[in-house]
Amino acid sequence: MDVGRTQWTADLEWVRTPRQTRSERTQTAVLDAAAALFAERGVDHASVSDIAARAGTSVGTIYHHFSDKQGLVFALFDRLAAELDATTADAVDPARWHGAGIADVLRGYLDFALDVGRTLPAFRIVSRAAAARDVGARELLEKLHRNIDEGVRALLLARAAEITHPARELAVDLVLDQIAAMLLVRLEPELRPSRLAELDDDAWIDETLHSALTHLGLTTD
Amino acid sequence: MDVGRTQWTADLEWVRTPRQTRSERTQTAVLDAAAALFAERGVDHASVSDIAARAGTSVGTIYHHFSDKQGLVFALFDRLAAELDATTADAVDPARWHGAGIADVLRGYLDFALDVGRTLPAFRIVSRAAAARDVGARELLEKLHRNIDEGVRALLLARAAEITHPARELAVDLVLDQIAAMLLVRLEPELRPSRLAELDDDAWIDETLHSALTHLGLTTD
DNA sequence: ATTATCTATAGATCTATAGATAATGC
DNA sequence: ATTATCTATAGATCTATAGATAATGC
């Protein structure tokens, strides 16, 4: 479940190692500002001096801490990935789901994913920008998604008795992919206008869940 | 089924009306070059002089024909939208589907959408850029999607006898949304890595189709 | 002494225009 | 005569650095 960040980050020097407490504060402020601006306007439309202004520091200081703008993007992605990975690891911990059925697990997943997606609006934008620029970032992103998928997949397959679909594993894979795609469109409606966008979260979750359960052929409906 | 382009384009002057045959050739060449470069690198990373070079013309000429870079984006979106709309209108013509069942219609839709999505790779990028910058473009894009959805929806509901799902219309809406989301992720894998990405088109269509038919509760399976 | 910060600016890039020259078609 | 094209460049913007000044902590 470890995301292996070290692989990607270890030998790279986008971020200066802080020697003073001040440094950490500044770096955090810069990353926060970047996250906000990137989420608002996208990476290309947020200039380094915009970020400096928002962080209450100067352009020179940003370049003292980060190798270049790309390094700032990577460092931010790294931070967001670590956050997401920690939250995920916690959410798919089997102990947490003791006694829960497939319907509970999937509902929990949908709930969780919507929540995280909205709490970290910068994640999708920054991860995409990083992945487009660097293979390591691309791999990290894939690993991250795989971790989530594997986690939920394990929870579902541990409850395979509930599934009547003849090809259980394939059915589970399809359902997970479908849910991921639905979540993407729900979180970023500008990608593809959806009729279901008008539903509120609860109704949307009910519909999506119902479809998934039907496909799996759940014994208890 | 008309997309109402006039609404958006009529009084706007992004494009100079051609007075010579030469003009049309040039405008076409510029739009073609822009489409290719935007699809390759995105709107922000394709400069006007890149486009001029690729089109075999000059920057000055581009600005003679188009109001500004944004106007070029809008004009291109308009052209792509018209293309897509014509293709769509043809594809969802009820006459074309005489004698076909729901499974045939959905398979045809999946096939068609994959094909068009790959033939016009610039469409998604350009439509997104245009929609992000202008309300009119946003509305046009929504109308376009609505046209596709309505077209397929009508074909399905005309075959409602095959559907055993208690709430037919809702079931159809959900299925259409799900398919749209799946198509998006299939056509742009960088948006969200998918396990099903490894399947070839035929297998992927089979899976997606099977899930949709199951949800609708098709009488003939 | 070292690290962090700021101001000022060089240098690159990109959008858009001015002005001169060439081609078109009534 | 009008329309289209090209070259050259102004002007804006943005990334990145140089160099001076201030704060930190062994």
Side-chain angles (χ1 to χ4, degrees):
Chain A
M1 188 55 52
D2 177 48
V3 84
R5 292 173 53 228
T6 40
Q7 284 291 37
W8 188 49
T9 49
D11 25 47
L12 297 167
E13 272 123 30
W14 317 311
V15 193
R16 181 178 295 257
T17 312
R19 315 270 170 185
Q20 301 181 5
T21 22
R22 215 165 39 136
S23 288
E24 286 183 68
R25 268 206 316 274
T26 304
Q27 288 189 2
T28 304
V30 170
L31 290 175
D32 289 345
L37 286 171
F38 290 164
E40 274 173 33
R41 317 179 195 164
V43 172
D44 289 329
H45 293 106
S47 75
V48 175
S49 84
D50 289 338
I51 297 169
R54 178 114 167 201
T57 184
S58 70
V59 171
T61 298
I62 290 190
Y63 280 96
H64 172 75
H65 286 287
F66 302 92
S67 57
D68 50 19
K69 192 183 177 184
Q70 176 157 287
L72 175 55
V73 172
F74 289 164
L76 179 57
F77 174 46
D78 207 52
R79 194 181 76 164
L80 290 167
E83 275 183 63
L84 185 62
D85 198 52
T87 323
T88 304
D90 187 50
V92 297
D93 179 5
R96 192 181 239 277
W97 294 99
H98 187 73
I102 284 192
D104 304 312
V105 169
L106 281 182
R107 182 178 292 276
Y109 173 38
L110 286 165
D111 233 16
F112 164 80
L114 278 184
D115 185 46
V116 173
R118 286 175 185 142
T119 312
L120 301 177
F123 177 78
R124 286 182 311 280
I125 286 176
V126 171
S127 65
R128 241 166 256 162
R133 286 163 175 74
D134 182 87
V135 215
R138 200 150 44 239
E139 284 164 4
L140 173 55
L141 181 61
E142 267 165 34
K143 199 161 185 175
L144 219 81
H145 280 300
R146 204 162 34 231
N147 278 354
I148 299 175
D149 286 350
E150 290 298 336
V152 184
R153 194 167 187 268
L155 291 174
L156 295 183
L157 288 179
R159 292 158 179 79
E162 291 180 52
I163 303 176
T164 64
H165 189 291
R168 281 170 177 161
E169 302 219 357
L170 186 63
V172 166
D173 284 351
L174 184 93
V175 160
L176 288 182
D177 261 25
Q178 237 169 19
I179 288 180
M182 296 285 280
L183 280 166
L184 180 69
V185 171
R186 177 110 185 140
L187 288 168
E188 294 181 80
E190 62 276 12
L191 288 176
R192 217 295 188 182
S194 148
R195 199 182 308 261
L196 301 182
E198 288 152 28
L199 298 181
D200 64 24
D201 277 357
D202 284 339
W204 180 83
I205 289 180
D206 282 345
E207 285 308 315
T208 308
L209 186 59
H210 179 264
S211 165
L213 299 181
T214 307
H215 185 76
L216 295 175
L218 222 62
T219 48
T220 51
D221 211 3
Chain B
M1 190 52 55
D2 178 49
V3 83
R5 294 172 52 228
T6 41
Q7 285 289 37
W8 188 49
T9 48
D11 25 49
L12 296 168
E13 275 122 27
W14 317 313
V15 193
R16 181 180 294 257
T17 312
R19 314 270 172 186
Q20 300 181 6
T21 20
R22 205 162 50 137
S23 288
E24 286 183 66
R25 269 207 316 275
T26 305
Q27 288 189 1
T28 303
V30 169
L31 290 174
D32 288 346
L37 285 171
F38 290 163
E40 274 173 33
R41 320 179 193 161
V43 173
D44 290 329
H45 292 106
S47 75
V48 175
S49 85
D50 289 337
I51 297 169
R54 179 115 169 200
T57 184
S58 71
V59 171
T61 297
I62 290 190
Y63 280 97
H64 173 73
H65 287 286
F66 301 93
S67 58
D68 50 18
K69 191 183 179 183
Q70 176 157 286
L72 175 55
V73 172
F74 289 165
L76 178 57
F77 174 45
D78 206 52
R79 192 180 77 164
L80 290 167
E83 275 184 63
L84 185 61
D85 198 52
T87 323
T88 304
D90 186 50
V92 296
D93 179 4
R96 191 181 239 278
W97 295 99
H98 187 73
I102 284 193
D104 304 311
V105 170
L106 281 183
R107 183 179 292 276
Y109 174 38
L110 286 166
D111 234 15
F112 164 78
L114 278 184
D115 185 46
V116 173
R118 286 175 186 142
T119 312
L120 301 176
F123 177 79
R124 287 183 309 282
I125 287 176
V126 172
S127 65
R128 240 167 257 160
R133 285 164 176 77
D134 183 86
V135 216
R138 200 149 46 237
E139 284 164 3
L140 173 55
L141 181 60
E142 267 165 34
K143 199 160 186 177
L144 219 80
H145 281 299
R146 204 162 35 229
N147 278 353
I148 300 176
D149 286 350
E150 290 298 336
V152 184
R153 195 167 187 266
L155 291 174
L156 296 183
L157 289 179
R159 292 155 179 80
E162 292 180 50
I163 303 175
T164 64
H165 189 290
R168 282 171 179 160
E169 303 219 356
L170 186 64
V172 166
D173 284 350
L174 184 93
V175 161
L176 288 182
D177 262 27
Q178 237 169 19
I179 288 181
M182 296 286 281
L183 279 166
L184 180 70
V185 171
R186 178 108 184 142
L187 288 168
E188 294 181 81
E190 61 277 12
L191 288 176
R192 217 295 188 182
S194 148
R195 198 182 311 260
L196 301 182
E198 290 153 26
L199 298 180
D200 63 25
D201 276 357
D202 284 339
W204 180 84
I205 289 180
D206 281 344
E207 284 308 315
T208 308
L209 186 59
H210 180 264
S211 165
L213 299 181
T214 307
H215 185 76
L216 295 175
L218 222 61
T219 48
T220 50
D221 211 4

